[in-house]
Amino acid sequence: MDYWAPSLDVDDEFEKLAIRMNPPRVSVDNTSSRTATLIKVDSANKHGSLLEVVQALTDLNLTIKRAYISSDGEWFMDVFHVTDQDGNKLSDGEVSERIEQSLGSRVLSLWTLRRSVGVQAAAEHTTIELTGRDRPGLLSEIFAVLTDLRCNVVAAEVWTHNSRMASVVYITDEVTGVPIDDPERLTKIKLLLRYVLKGIRDKQSAKTAVSVGDTHTERRLHQMMYADRDYDRDDMGNDIASDRSKPFVTVENCSDKDYTVVNLRCGDRPKLIFDTVCTLTDMKYVVFHAAVMAEGPEAYQEYYIRHSDGCPISSEAERQRVIHCLEAAIQRRTSEGIRLELCGEDRVGLLSDVTRIFRENGLSVSRAEVTTRGSQAVNMFYVTDASGNPVKSETIEAVRCEIGQTIIHVKDDIHSKSPPQEQGRFSLGNLFRSR
């Protein structure tokens, strides 16, 4: 099965034929640069094509150091400078082959797609999606309800931002280990979780959804947060946590070329370009040209965009909305707090017990990633105190003693959250003015 055809969702049979006759061309160049591997992609241009490429590279755990994107007309040409997670070139030939398979159209199968990070196979679990107002102890209550309902959590990811929470949780039946498909039982799960999410009073409605199907976890979390309007300021106008790591974003119209130019600068971190491209795609903007540079502590991104109707941004309200949405996309993954990693034998109710201990010691989870590898649980939690402040060392030690010092460890976050300093702008402007 071709990779590009199903993801483009092309209705017109002629366009389908054209795409099959002109599949994406992928080349991996390991000689032109001493510090990075160059990946070049040429393909027919459809809305979302750039996101498909960036998502595939991100799912392979590659770091994008530079990128040059051009997609005027019906064809796009992308060049990505990538390294592995340790900052090294991709010297392993097998890695290069995986890249070509993931981005090409001839040999990528659904099996390859499901092997990607964050993508789950439909037959293995039931997917639960949750959005609602964040509060201390919420995650503990969610996992406790699932345990009481005889559900085993095999994987989950939780994001919080601007007083909102979004989570994708993958569950199976506690006894049989198979997906839960009983309608009556699923309805009960949804109702009880919605009750927990609403708490005493939630002015924004809490939402739950249950499905059995393919889900790209991080892609879905962006969509859920965007739909929940986490880019709006909270009810009290309190945006202190956001200010700690607020990126610098400008949006201006380039009248002579009829584009809107988005410039973005912030501290670099993994998956940054994926997060920003997701947001522009969800907002129905088309990226015609872009340049990305992330070879130091800061990342610079510039996008020349138009709305899907072909028009640039036309009002101050729309300009501000783009700024706020891009800020939110970056901050959702910029986790506050101490990172705790839990590795040990998996068992039913483990997450309920661990998060209960967090709650009883006054810890609040700002972000979580839960995975199961064979019989082992590999979980990561970012925690603060109930007010969002750093946790005292004695509290962390008390938690470790209660859970087990051999299975839970404190990890330093290597990605700086310091706000960027004013510097010269990284721009594609000269390229367009020379045309």
Side-chain angles (χ1 to χ4, degrees):
M1 179 180 292
D2 288 348
Y3 176 54
W4 231 253
S7 61
L8 288 176
D9 191 24
V10 178
D11 295 324
D12 186 83
E13 291 300 324
F14 177 80
E15 292 188 21
K16 289 181 182 180
L17 177 61
I19 291 171
R20 290 181 181 276
M21 292 177 64
N22 298 279
R25 295 195 299 268
V26 182
S27 63
V28 180
D29 177 0
N30 226 4
T31 60
S32 297
S33 171
R34 291 181 298 175
T35 60
T37 299
L38 273 62
I39 299 175
K40 303 176 183 178
V41 184
D42 298 329
S43 174
N45 183 33
K46 292 293 177 182
H47 182 63
S49 296
L50 174 60
L51 176 57
E52 293 282 356
V53 175
V54 172
Q55 180 173 299
L57 296 176
T58 302
D59 287 347
L60 290 169
N61 290 323
L62 302 180
T63 300
I64 300 173
K65 293 296 185 181
R66 292 192 181 197
Y68 304 98
I69 294 151
S70 181
S71 60
D72 267 339
E74 296 185 0
W75 198 261
F76 78 75
M77 295 174 286
D78 298 346
V79 179
F80 298 91
H81 295 231
V82 304
T83 64
D84 63 19
Q85 290 181 304
D86 296 320
N88 302 316
K89 293 174 65 174
L90 310 181
S91 57
D92 185 353
E94 181 181 352
V95 174
S96 297
E97 183 179 352
R98 286 176 62 200
I99 293 170
E100 292 175 332
Q101 289 179 351
S102 295
L103 296 180
S105 65
R106 291 180 299 172
V107 293
L108 183 68
S109 65
L110 286 175
W111 179 85
T112 307
L113 178 62
R114 288 168 181 168
R115 294 277 293 182
S116 298
V117 176
V119 180
Q120 310 293 330
E124 296 178 356
H125 57 245
T126 300
T127 304
I128 300 176
E129 297 178 353
L130 310 168
T131 55
R133 175 170 290 280
D134 186 35
R135 67 176 187 277
L138 176 60
L139 195 58
S140 173
E141 296 177 34
I142 290 171
F143 288 143
V145 166
L146 291 173
T147 300
D148 289 343
L149 294 172
R150 307 185 312 282
C151 301
N152 183 38
V153 177
V154 295
E157 188 151 354
V158 181
W159 289 1
T160 64
H161 176 247
N162 197 23
S163 301
R164 305 302 296 174
M165 183 280 300
S167 177
V168 178
V169 183
Y170 302 101
I171 64 171
T172 59
D173 180 77
E174 174 185 299
V175 177
T176 64
V178 301
I180 300 170
D181 57 8
D182 176 36
E184 184 175 342
R185 186 177 178 189
L186 292 176
T187 298
K188 183 178 181 180
I189 292 172
K190 288 174 60 177
L191 290 175
L192 288 177
L193 288 175
R194 189 175 301 143
Y195 178 78
V196 169
L197 286 169
K198 286 186 176 181
I200 298 174
R201 177 172 295 181
D202 186 1
K203 294 181 180 179
Q204 286 180 250
S205 61
K207 297 178 182 178
T208 61
V210 176
S211 64
V212 179
D214 292 334
T215 301
H216 189 283
T217 308
E218 295 171 341
R219 178 79 183 95
R220 188 68 190 120
L221 284 167
H222 274 300
Q223 293 173 327
M224 292 163 63
M225 281 290 205
Y226 175 67
D228 200 40
R229 301 179 64 90
D230 74 313
Y231 52 85
D232 285 340
R233 298 295 185 258
D234 63 23
D235 296 343
M236 301 302 294
N238 185 359
D239 203 26
I240 294 175
S242 298
D243 288 340
R244 294 174 184 168
S245 55
K246 192 172 184 178
F248 180 74
V249 181
T250 63
V251 177
E252 302 170 349
N253 278 347
C254 177
S255 56
D256 56 333
K257 295 295 181 181
D258 210 25
Y259 292 116
T260 293
V261 185
V262 176
N263 276 283
L264 184 152
R265 184 173 74 249
C266 65
D268 189 29
R269 61 165 175 75
K271 304 184 180 182
L272 181 63
I273 184 173
F274 171 78
D275 296 339
T276 54
V277 171
C278 270
T279 297
L280 291 172
T281 303
D282 288 341
M283 298 183 74
K284 308 300 182 186
Y285 291 106
V286 178
V287 176
F288 287 87
H289 301 277
V292 173
M293 182 178 292
E295 296 181 325
E298 287 189 340
Y300 304 83
Q301 298 181 15
E302 184 169 67
Y303 299 95
Y304 281 71
I305 66 171
R306 295 180 187 138
H307 202 269
S308 55
D309 62 8
C311 298
I313 290 176
S314 58
S315 70
E316 177 62 19
E318 184 182 4
R319 190 181 76 86
Q320 289 296 327
R321 186 166 177 261
V322 171
I323 291 174
H324 291 158
C325 287
L326 287 171
E327 290 174 349
I330 295 167
Q331 291 169 324
R332 289 167 193 156
R333 208 193 290 265
T334 305
S335 305
E336 300 291 338
I338 295 175
R339 185 172 69 180
L340 301 179
E341 291 187 357
L342 184 152
C343 301
E345 190 73 18
D346 190 33
R347 61 174 174 82
V348 174
L350 174 64
L351 290 169
S352 177
D353 292 341
V354 169
T355 52
R356 173 183 53 79
I357 292 171
F358 288 166
R359 186 189 72 233
E360 291 173 350
N361 284 272
L363 301 186
S364 181
V365 178
S366 62
R367 183 170 156 236
E369 294 179 12
V370 174
T371 57
T372 305
R373 299 174 186 171
S375 63
Q376 294 292 301
V378 183
N379 304 330
M380 181 274 291
F381 305 92
Y382 281 87
V383 298
T384 66
D385 69 11
S387 301
N389 298 315
V391 183
K392 295 180 180 179
S393 58
E394 53 265 33
T395 303
I396 293 296
E397 286 308 307
V399 168
R400 292 188 65 211
C401 287
E402 192 167 354
I403 295 175
Q405 292 185 339
T406 59
I407 66 170
I408 191 163
H409 305 277
V410 180
K411 299 289 184 179
D412 293 328
D413 190 358
I414 62 174
H415 305 295
S416 172
K417 304 183 188 69
S418 302
Q421 302 297 317
E422 290 291 332
Q423 297 182 13
R425 292 179 62 182
F426 168 64
S427 177
L428 276 174
N430 291 334
L431 170 66
F432 289 93
R433 282 191 285 272
S434 64
R435 289 188 171 184

